[in-house]
């Protein structure tokens, strides 16, 4: 697309504003694109610096609200007029923006009116619906879809921000420090780009028969009725609980660190010495000056500058005056032969320099460093590495530590402590510190993203509440110490005073969806008859006679052959998701040929599952997409391109290696696996998302003082006025179980609680 003929206007006087009013009254457009410039990415803290708006692709307008020094542009009376006009315009037309949740909440926080009901489309969600892969940022997708000219305004802005002393990095862009005319032009281009993308995306939604799904059935209703309100409300935390947790974790981590160092000190002593000698050699001027300072050895002072001098003449004179320190003076002068320096003082000096330069560190050997732990395991202890990173370095990940702990826990008990040290450090930095750093007045305002996964399930960031540690039990193989703190995180997420948490988790939602989309009666009957999926898979795949898949029966498979059920658990979804014999071999510990036999037996036992998998492959190869049963599309154009070029021979490892297509083979195989799992995970997303919409609407219809506060994986967590909790629980159960009907009954049992730990 060529650069459009387009004018932008900076509305910096009330006369110009009155002209804008007339233009907005006369313009022939039912659409308004909206964008704000602010001084923060945190909606609760952000102040508006400027307002961008356009109705057509011919003109855009920027109303400056604050100067770059933070002072307000308009007097109070004029502010009121602008806000009133803005409210009228934004609520009388189809409101469009890119990631407009940000602008909607900042408008509410700064101007006092809500826009949720008036949003027509968010182009970030349109892009995700039509292309599930990153990036989603306006400045990333606009140049690709509209043309390279779409970046010109940003380039101009970045130069101006930096010229004004602001930052312009990947993580920090101080746009509000730009000159008003530059920021205004940039903002006008933003609303123009959004409008152009909207038109392109809207036409594509029509072409792919996705408009109903997007506008009416799921994506925008979910956004307007649930997602924005989750961000608005945030989730209450017990600030005191997390502050106590932080102190306790710091004490436990420090204790473990000290105990581990006592155990491994002799192993890492040489490593620490080599590190110090490399970073702080005895040559140069830094070392001798520090050595003299620590050893209380006098050095000559330059009378003119008043500073230490290491000139040969001055050092010779100092040596005559203090011959007892000749070893240092000779070292500085480079005289050979000379007396050696004190080795203890050398090490003391180097350590002093190390900790001066690294004030945040308490040790030279860093237990949190994968490189240092790798050196300890593979160099100091001479353990033979059995797993490597992508950079071809010996791995020290959880799988490796689990294996080594099992192997060495008798002779090297510090490994168990290292495992606990890592776990507690992760809890402290990721969860406790992450939550404390981001809370505002005891509330966490996480961003719940509808565009964060390819399946359309929610993701979460700042902080990522999708990863809050689940409540564990003694069977989790965690130590009692780690278990205590893992289970403490959710206790800190609480209901506000006078409210309760009403929570429900779908029972085995992904396996249920797997059984439904497979079309296989035996798999569906597992859930209809109340059986255990993994036991049924184990019985059928491994040909077990005389065992039951019902947990209540005495001959329940887990009681008779627990290892068979464990293997079945490993393969139950791995095979439908495209697991190869090599992968199944690793999961089960079987040989390659045995693993291939397992795959064949599994798919022969459930023949309709094989048909489903073949259909997914066929659709991806021949059409470049697959669909869920409710119409959500997973775009896989590259699958079709690769298939047209190479057919399935690219899957042959030997052929791919000989012809230089190893990476293409891996990509093709991965995308075919995505085609197969999308129908399952996409269906689970439909079920959850539509239940979220239904719960929100039923709360409104039944006058429930409550809202959806959070959704994690297959859970819906509501916050409800205490006296209405029982009624809300019934609504939640009904909506989750009946909003979306599939061939298998959905089960979700609600729990009323005071915190997320109780709602497990």
């Amino acid at each position: 697309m060529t650069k459009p003929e387009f004018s932008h206007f900076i509305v910096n006087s009330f006369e110009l504003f009155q002209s804008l009013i007339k233009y907005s009254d006369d313009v022939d457009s039912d659409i308004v694109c909206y964008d704000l410039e602010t001084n923060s990415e945190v909606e609760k803290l952000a102040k508006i610096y400027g307002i961008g708006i356009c109705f057509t692709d011919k003109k855009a307008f920027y109303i400056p609200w604050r100067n770059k020094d933070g002072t307000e542009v308009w007097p109070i009376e004029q502010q009121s007029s602008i806000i009133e006009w803005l409210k009228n315009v934004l609520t009388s037309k189809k409101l469009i923006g890119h990631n407009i949740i940000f602008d909607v909440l900042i408008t509410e926080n700064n101007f006092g009116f809500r826009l949720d009901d008036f949003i027509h489309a968010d182009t970030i969600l349109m892009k995700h619906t039509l292309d599930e892969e990153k990036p989603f940022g306006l400045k990333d997708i606009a140049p690709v879809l509209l043309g390279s000219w779409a970046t010109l305004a940003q380039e101009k802005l970045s130069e101006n921000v930096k010229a004004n002393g602001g930052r312009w990095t990947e993580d920090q862009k101080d746009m509000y420090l730009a000159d008003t005319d530059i920021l205004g032009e940039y903002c006008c281009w933003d609303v123009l780009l959004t409008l152009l993308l909207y038109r392109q995306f809207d036409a594509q939604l029509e072409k792919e028969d996705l408009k109903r799904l997007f506008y009416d059935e799921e994506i925008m209703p979910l956004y307007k009725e649930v997602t924005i309100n989750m961000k608005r409300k945030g989730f209450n935390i017990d600030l005191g609980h997390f502050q106590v947790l932080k102190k306790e974790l710091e004490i436990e981590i420090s204790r473990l660190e000290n105990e581990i160092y006592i155990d491994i000190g002799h192993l890492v002593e040489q490593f620490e010495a080599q590190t110090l000698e490399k970073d702080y050699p005895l040559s140069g001027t830094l070392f001798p000056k520090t050595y003299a300072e620590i050893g209380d050895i006098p050095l000559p002072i330059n009378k003119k500058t008043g500073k230490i001098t290491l000139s040969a003449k001055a050092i010779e004179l100092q040596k005559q005056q203090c011959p007892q320190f000749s070893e240092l003076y000779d070292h500085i002068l480079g005289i050979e032969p000379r007396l050696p320096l004190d080795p203890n003082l050398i090490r003391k000096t180097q350590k002093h320099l190390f900790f001066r330069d690294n004030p945040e560190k308490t040790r030279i050997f860093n237990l949190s460093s994968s490189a240092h732990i790798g050196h300890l395991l593979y160099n100091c202890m001479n353990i033979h590495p059995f797993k490597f990173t992508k950079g071809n370095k010996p791995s020290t990940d959880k799988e490796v530590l689990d294996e080594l702990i099992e192997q060495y826990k008798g002779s090297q008990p510090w490994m168990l402590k290292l495992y606990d040290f890592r776990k507690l450090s992760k809890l402290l930095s990721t969860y406790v510190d992450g939550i404390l750093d981001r809370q505002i007045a005891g509330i966490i305002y996480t961003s719940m993203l509808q565009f964060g996964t390819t399946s359309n399930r929610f993701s979460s960031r700042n902080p990522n509440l999708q990863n809050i540690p689940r409540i564990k039990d003694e069977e989790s193989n965690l130590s009692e110490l780690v278990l205590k703190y893992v289970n403490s995180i959710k206790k800190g997420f609480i209901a506000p005073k006078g409210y309760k948490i009403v929570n429900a988790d779908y029972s085995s939602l992904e396996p249920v969806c797997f059984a439904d989309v497979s079309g296989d009666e035996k798999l569906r009957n597992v859930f209809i008859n109340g059986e255990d999926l993994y036991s049924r898979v184990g019985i059928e795949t491994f040909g077990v006679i005389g065992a039951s898949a019902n947990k209540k029966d005495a001959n329940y498979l887990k009681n008779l052959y627990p290892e068979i059920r464990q293997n079945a658990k490993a393969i139950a979804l791995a095979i439908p998701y495209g697991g190869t014999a090599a992968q199944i071999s690793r999961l089960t510990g079987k040989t390659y040929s045995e693993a291939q036999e397992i795959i064949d037996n599994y798919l022969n036992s459930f023949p309709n599952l094989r048909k489903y998998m073949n259909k997914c492959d066929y659709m991806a190869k021949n059409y470049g997409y697959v669909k869920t049963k409710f119409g959500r599309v997973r775009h896989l154009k590259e699958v079709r391109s690769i298939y047209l070029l190479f057919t399935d021979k690219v899957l042959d490892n030997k052929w791919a290696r000989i012809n230089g297509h190893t990476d293409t083979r891996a990509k093709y195989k991965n995308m075919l696996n995505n085609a197969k799992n999308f129908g399952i995970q996409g269906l689970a997303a439909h079920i959850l998302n539509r239940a979220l919409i239904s719960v929100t609407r039923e709360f409104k219809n039944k006058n429930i003082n409550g809202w959806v506060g959070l959704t994690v994986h297959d859970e819906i967590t509501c916050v409800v006025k205490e006296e209405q909790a029982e009624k809300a629980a019934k609504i939640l159960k009904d909506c989750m179980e009946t909003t979306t009907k599939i061939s298998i009954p959905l089960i979700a049992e609600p729990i009323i609680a005071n915190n997320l730990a109780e709602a497990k």
Side-chain angles (χ1 to χ4, degrees), residues 107-124:
T107 299
E108 183 179 327
N109 294 338
N110 283 259
F111 293 158
F113 61 89
R114 288 191 180 186
L115 292 168
D116 311 28
D117 294 341
F118 305 96
I119 303 169
H120 178 62
D122 189 324
T123 47
I124 205 169

Side-chain angles (χ1 to χ4, degrees), residues 133-146:
E133 301 296 340
K134 295 177 181 178
F136 297 108
L138 181 63
K139 305 309 181 302
D140 297 312
I141 61 177
V144 175
L145 297 174
L146 301 175

Side-chain angles (χ1 to χ4, degrees), residues 659-729:
N659 290 278
H661 292 302
T662 303
D663 290 344
T664 304
R665 174 186 176 274
K667 181 185 288 186
Y668 183 62
K669 183 178 177 303
N670 182 58
M671 287 189 293
L672 287 176
N673 291 349
N674 289 340
K676 288 186 272 286
N677 70 36
F678 177 70
I680 299 165
Q681 294 191 359
L683 175 58
H686 282 303
I687 290 169
L688 184 77
N689 292 344
R690 294 176 186 215
L692 286 164
I693 297 168
S694 182
V695 168
T696 300
R697 289 176 178 174
E698 279 300 291
F699 278 7
K700 186 176 181 180
N701 292 339
K702 299 288 188 348
N703 294 314
I704 298 294
N705 183 349
W707 60 91
V708 173
L710 188 63
T711 175
V712 177
H713 306 301
D714 302 330
E715 289 181 71
I716 297 178
T717 303
C718 301
V719 180
V720 182
K721 199 69 176 173
E722 190 168 359
E723 57 269 23
Q724 294 181 305
E726 293 286 349
K727 188 176 180 181

Side-chain angles (χ1 to χ4, degrees), residues 391-402:
N392 204 33
K393 293 181 179 179
S395 174
T396 61
D397 66 10
K398 180 181 180 299
E399 181 188 348
V400 169
L401 277 187
D402 285 347

Side-chain angles (χ1 to χ4, degrees), residues 40 57 76 318 343 430 512 619 638 658 704 740 751:
S40 174
D57 59 4
I76 296 296
Q318 188 73 51
T430 302
V512 164
M619 289 295 295
E638 266 194 288
I658 291 171
I704 298 294
T740 303
I751 296 172

Side-chain angles (χ1 to χ4, degrees), residues 74 129 178 216 245 345 352 511 540 568 652 684 687 694 710 723-724:
W74 307 89
T129 305
D216 305 320
L245 211 54
L345 192 53
H352 172 83
E540 300 289 338
D652 183 278
I687 290 169
S694 182
L710 188 63
E723 57 269 23
Q724 294 181 305

